[in-house]
Amino acid sequence: MPPTFAQLGAPDFIVSALAQRGISEPFAIQAATVADALAGLDVCGRAPTGSGKTLAFGIPLVASVGKAQPRKPRALVLAPTRELADQIMTELRTFAGKRRIGVAYGGVGYGAQIGSLRRGVDILVACPGRLEDLISQGQADLSAVDKVVIDEADRMADMGFIPAVRRLLDQTAARRQTMLFSATLDGDVATLTRDYQRDPVRHEVDDETPDVRAAEHVFWSVAKTDRTDICAEAIDAAGLTVVFCRTRHGCDRVAKQLDRRGIRAAALHGGRSQPQRTKALAAFAAGRVQALVATDVAARGIHVEGVSAVVHYDLAADHKTYLHRSGRTARAGEGGVVVSLIQPEQARELKSMQCKMGLVQPITDVDVDVIREAPRSRTRYRTLKRLDRPGAH
Ligand code: ADP
Ligand code: MG
C-alpha cells in the first residue's frame, strides 16, 4: 500500500482539494519526493512524462510557500513552454487555497502579468525569457524567492534556456530550496544540479509508473503521398489524436488536409499567436477538434485527458523526441496507440532509434484495426516491458 498524501505530510486543505478531483493515491514519484520536499530538502527527480511530477513539487510548494509582497514572489517554478506553464498554474490553482499563483510567459500582453505581480504572487510559474523581461522592467524581483522548481530541465537544456535559468537562479535567495525535475539527468542537467542544488536527494522512478510505455507502438509502411489519407483513417478510428510534424508549415498543411478529409483539426506551433494556441488547445481538450497537429516544441508538456493516439506523421528526429511525443497518450494509467508512418528509406534510421529505446518492432502494413481494438486502459501496460531495461532513455 502506498502512503496517503496525508501520511506524506500534506496539509488537510490540500488533501481534501485533491480528493475532490478524485486524486487520493500518490503516484510513485509523489510518494518518493513529497515528504523530502516538505522537509525542505533539495530534490532531484527523474521520472517519465505523465508520471505526476506537477503534484510532486506542487504539493510541497503550496504547503510551505510564504506570503508575497508586491512584485516579490516567494516561490518560482520555471517551465520551458507557455503551454506547460499554463498547465502547471491551472493544476496548482485546484488545490492552492489562499495562495496566489501567477504566470509569466511571452506571446501575450504584459498588462495582466504585471497587474498580478503588483497585487502579489506567492508562487510564480514562468518561462525564462518573459521573466527576465519583467525583471528588467522592474516589475518582478526574485530576491525573496526561497523555493525554486526547475521543471522539465532536460527540455530547458534542449531549448537553449540554461544560461537564462542560471541568471534567474542567481537572483533568488542564497538560502533556498531547489527542486529539479527532468526525464533525464545527464549532460547540462547534471551540471545545473551540481551548481545550484545542495546535497539533493535523488529520486528516480521508472518501473511500475504509468508512463509512455503504457501505449502500444506500431510502425506502418506508408508511401509519402498516402500519409494524409492513412493519418485521417487512424484518427477516425482512434478519437482524440495528437499528430506530429517536423515544421510549422507542415503542421498548417496537414491540419488543412485533414479538415478536407472530414477530420476537424487544429495546428499548434510557435508560429501561431498565443491566443490562437490557447484556443486550439481548448478546442482539443473539449473535443471540438479531433486532431491537434503540433511541432515538438509546442506540444511539450501538454496534458489533455483521453488522448487515444499519437501519430508521428514525420518521423521523430531521435529516440528522446519519440518518447516525449508518444507521452501525449497513455498518460496517468490510460492506454493508447502510437503510430509511426514510415517510408522505406527511413527503415534504417528507425531501426537505430528503436534499438536506443529497447523497442525493436517490425515495420508492418497499415492495419487500422489495431487502433480500433486497442484497450484504452492500463491493460496494455506490460506489453512493452522491454523498455524498462537500464539505459532505455
Ligand atoms: P508529468 O509532469 O510527470 O508529465 P503531470 O504532473 O502532468 O505529469 O500528471 C499527469 C496527469 O496525472 C495529470 O492529469 C494529473 O492530474 C494526473 N495525476 C497526477 N497525480 C495523480 C494521482 N496521484 N492520482 C491520479 N491522477 C494523478
Ligand atoms: Mg510536467
Side-chain angles (χ1 to χ4, degrees):
M1 272 282 282
T4 63
F5 285 112
Q7 283 164 348
L8 292 170
D12 288 345
F13 77 94
I14 296 183
V15 174
S16 55
L18 291 177
Q20 279 190 5
R21 289 174 54 205
I23 296 180
S24 52
E25 235 183 67
F27 285 166
I29 187 71
Q30 296 156 5
T33 61
V34 167
D36 282 340
L38 278 171
L41 300 174
D42 280 7
V43 168
C44 177
R46 180 173 72 80
T49 303
S51 56
K53 293 186 286 288
T54 315
L55 289 181
F57 63 75
I59 292 172
L61 276 192
V62 167
S64 63
V65 70
K67 194 163 160 51
Q69 298 296 313
R71 300 196 184 84
K72 296 179 96 175
R74 300 299 312 277
L76 173 65
V77 180
L78 289 172
T81 65
R82 306 155 185 181
E83 282 79 12
L84 192 53
D86 246 342
Q87 239 175 296
I88 293 169
M89 184 260 299
T90 305
E91 176 131 26
L92 295 187
R93 281 189 179 162
T94 65
F95 62 91
K98 296 201 172 67
R99 278 62 171 171
R100 296 159 300 173
I101 319 285
V103 288
Y105 49 70
V108 295
Y110 285 85
Q113 294 172 10
I114 289 174
S116 76
L117 281 163
R118 260 188 213 157
R119 287 188 297 276
V121 163
D122 302 320
I123 302 176
L124 179 64
V125 185
C127 298
R130 172 60 67 94
L131 180 54
E132 287 204 294
D133 262 10
L134 288 165
I135 292 169
S136 68
Q137 292 175 25
Q139 300 294 351
D141 174 329
L142 301 185
S143 59
V145 169
D146 58 9
K147 293 179 188 301
V148 175
V149 175
I150 306 162
D151 193 21
E152 309 252 2
D154 52 330
R155 193 57 176 182
M156 297 272 204
D158 291 348
M159 293 171 71
F161 287 157
I162 298 291
V165 169
R166 286 174 172 270
R167 286 192 297 270
L168 290 167
L169 289 173
D170 289 336
Q171 297 173 50
T172 61
R175 286 189 64 83
R176 60 153 197 273
Q177 180 183 21
T178 311
M179 297 182 249
L180 177 147
F181 291 86
S182 187
T184 56
L185 292 178
D186 48 6
D188 283 348
V189 177
T191 321
L192 207 58
T193 289
R194 192 194 63 205
D195 295 347
Y196 288 93
Q197 292 198 288
R198 211 175 304 126
D199 298 328
V201 188
R202 207 163 150 142
H203 290 292
E204 309 202 14
V205 168
D206 258 335
D207 295 358
E208 311 306 326
T209 309
D211 68 359
V212 68
R213 293 161 221 168
E216 168 154 1
H217 298 248
V218 296
F219 302 88
W220 289 345
S221 169
V222 176
K224 211 163 183 168
T225 46
D226 295 339
R227 277 191 300 178
T228 312
D229 286 327
I230 302 300
C231 186
E233 275 183 49
I235 296 165
D236 193 41
L240 284 191
T241 302
V242 182
V243 178
F244 283 96
C245 295
R246 211 165 33 79
T247 65
R248 297 170 175 190
H249 179 68
C251 287
D252 288 335
R253 199 189 53 228
V254 171
K256 253 190 225 121
Q257 290 170 340
L258 287 172
D259 257 333
R260 260 184 243 130
R261 285 165 176 79
I263 303 280
R264 277 161 303 145
L268 186 76
H269 56 67
R272 305 196 75 196
S273 70
Q274 184 59 29
Q276 284 174 322
R277 291 162 72 165
T278 307
K279 206 171 135 213
L281 254 178
F284 184 61
R288 289 193 302 276
V289 303
Q290 197 176 350
L292 201 57
V293 188
T295 55
D296 294 317
V297 168
R300 171 81 181 195
I302 293 165
H303 178 63
V304 174
E305 304 281 333
V307 174
S308 305
V310 163
V311 175
H312 300 267
Y313 188 95
D314 290 317
L315 184 58
D318 53 39
H319 69 287
K320 262 167 116 179
T321 306
Y322 181 90
L323 290 171
H324 284 312
R325 285 176 168 191
S326 304
R328 296 310 103 208
T329 187
R331 292 172 69 99
E334 295 171 9
V337 182
V338 179
V339 180
S340 295
L341 307 181
I342 307 292
Q343 284 105 70
E345 65 275 14
Q346 294 174 321
R348 277 182 73 130
E349 191 185 339
L350 176 69
K351 190 86 187 219
S352 119
M353 203 168 83
Q354 286 184 334
C355 285
K356 289 195 185 113
M357 299 188 284
L359 174 68
V360 181
Q361 263 178 236
I363 300 173
T364 64
D365 288 338
V366 174
D367 178 7
V368 177
D369 286 340
V370 170
I371 298 178
R372 291 202 186 91
E373 288 155 16
R376 313 270 195 266
S377 72
R378 53 173 78 231
T379 49
R380 281 276 152 186
Y381 174 49
R382 291 182 193 279
T383 56
L384 293 165
K385 201 65 186 169
R386 277 189 309 186
L387 261 174
D388 286 346
R389 65 157 206 218
H393 302 279

